[in-house]
Amino acid sequence: MNALIEADDRLGGHRSLAVAALQGRAHVLGLQERNASERVRRALYALAAEFTTIAAWSCIDVRDLEAAQRYLHESATFAGLSQDPPTGMRVWINLAMLAYQRQNWTEQLAAAQAANVTTAARRDPFFGSMGRMRLALAHSSLGDSRAAQRALDTAQDALGKATEEDRPRWTAFYGPAELHHLAAIILNHNGECANAEAMAHRALAAIPAEFQRNRALATCQLALAQLRQGEPEQATATATTVFTIMAGAPLPGRMRSLIGDFHRDLFRLAPSTRYARDWADRMREEWSRA
């Protein structure tokens, strides 16, 4: 399990990771056929939910959204059988992420609201902060910048109250760095690009080196914020570092979408510049790795 999570941290979701996760799930479900106590059975269902969620997340990253929807519904069933609050929280968080990728804003909001009333969110400010960030993103998607800012503020407050505890390995991605990264997304969406740039810089200063994919995603947000403030040359230099961070690995689908957004905006603002032409050449080279 840890090896799968670490692979996702470095490079993001990919099809081989989804296959490996489903193989892990099949093994765990096979163990359910043996005699075991209720406690062990619940733990096995939680593990099955974890493997299935990794497969779903990988599909979200490569933008196979139909498969992701199917796996998340299966994961929700396993999470319910496990009666494990953090596992249930993870499923709702991922359902909110999937709805965002599908541009289903009302479903995104509903999933975020469900995450916020889970036992995990009510008991632990850490999970409460995670849920409030998803709520902030959902409000931003719906164009309600005030509600988004309120949810963002409460997410920051809750994270400040969280204590060091033994939480599941999958939660390692979330902390001040990820909060700043998600805040940059919200602020970019709300048109507050200067603040988005500041948040992206804060995220990049704090994201651990092993979270390669997250560093690249935050760099995309920084480039977009710079571009939307009328700094296309600086933004292009920033965006080019995404390829360096990914170290030749194929870009996950979500990252390709962000790079595509940057490319379109760059050529709308500065189509005939040397740096735009150099960028286009580099992007074609990187796209060929897919």
Side-chain angles (χ1 to χ4, degrees):
M1 173 67 75
N2 284 347
L4 297 180
I5 295 174
E6 288 164 5
D8 178 55
D9 290 343
R10 290 194 306 274
L11 303 176
H14 45 279
R15 295 195 183 280
S16 59
L17 180 61
V19 170
L22 293 174
Q23 289 172 342
R25 181 184 73 172
H27 176 70
V28 167
L29 292 177
L31 295 177
Q32 285 283 9
E33 298 176 4
R34 304 180 184 181
N35 289 329
S37 67
E38 182 181 354
R39 181 181 63 82
V40 170
R41 286 191 180 280
R42 287 203 302 266
L44 288 172
Y45 278 126
L47 197 54
E50 289 287 317
F51 277 121
T52 311
T53 302
I54 289 174
W57 174 248
S58 295
C59 290
I60 291 174
D61 243 7
V62 300
R63 296 194 63 77
D64 184 354
L65 303 184
E66 293 302 321
Q69 184 91 50
R70 183 170 68 253
Y71 292 141
L72 280 177
H73 285 165
E74 293 172 2
S75 185
T77 299
F78 295 133
L81 292 169
S82 77
Q83 301 178 41
D84 180 62
T87 301
M89 177 78 178
R90 187 181 190 188
V91 172
W92 285 117
I93 291 292
N94 278 270
L95 282 167
M97 290 176 161
L98 175 61
Y100 176 79
Q101 294 298 316
R102 296 171 72 99
Q103 299 185 12
N104 188 334
W105 312 134
T106 54
E107 186 174 311
Q108 181 192 8
L109 178 61
Q113 289 170 331
N116 276 280
V117 298
T118 59
T119 301
R122 294 197 308 269
R123 290 179 178 175
D124 186 343
F126 176 87
F127 288 113
S129 175
M130 192 181 291
R132 296 301 290 185
M133 279 305 305
R134 287 295 143 192
L135 200 57
L137 285 160
H139 285 307
S140 178
S141 296
L142 287 165
D144 191 341
S145 58
R146 288 187 181 179
Q149 187 62 55
R150 285 196 300 270
L152 175 57
D153 290 343
T154 57
Q156 291 173 322
D157 291 343
L159 189 60
K161 296 174 184 176
T163 57
E164 290 292 332
E165 295 181 20
D166 185 19
R167 297 185 180 92
R169 170 64 179 79
W170 67 265
T171 64
F173 81 96
Y174 190 74
E178 180 65 5
L179 189 147
H180 294 323
H181 172 209
L182 295 175
I185 295 173
I186 292 167
L187 293 166
N188 259 333
H189 189 271
N190 291 350
E192 300 177 47
C193 298
N195 290 334
E197 181 178 5
M199 284 294 180
H201 278 299
R202 290 185 189 179
L204 288 167
I207 295 173
E210 63 269 23
F211 287 87
Q212 187 175 348
R213 185 266 316 277
N214 286 18
R215 290 192 65 81
L217 287 170
T219 301
C220 288
Q221 292 299 326
L222 175 58
L224 287 167
Q226 291 170 335
L227 185 62
R228 291 166 184 173
Q229 291 177 85
E231 302 172 7
E233 187 168 9
Q234 177 61 55
T236 302
T238 299
T240 302
T241 65
V242 170
F243 304 126
T244 304
I245 293 168
M246 293 302 291
L251 302 189
R254 288 191 307 135
M255 199 178 300
R256 289 168 68 89
S257 294
L258 287 172
I259 289 294
D261 290 343
F262 176 85
H263 181 83
R264 286 188 293 274
D265 286 353
L266 174 63
F267 275 83
R268 179 174 53 82
L269 293 172
S272 59
T273 57
R274 174 193 52 78
Y275 54 82
R277 292 194 299 271
D278 290 346
W279 160 263
D281 291 342
R282 180 66 184 275
M283 196 177 86
R284 279 194 294 271
E285 175 187 344
E286 296 294 338
W287 249 234
S288 68
R289 300 179 189 274

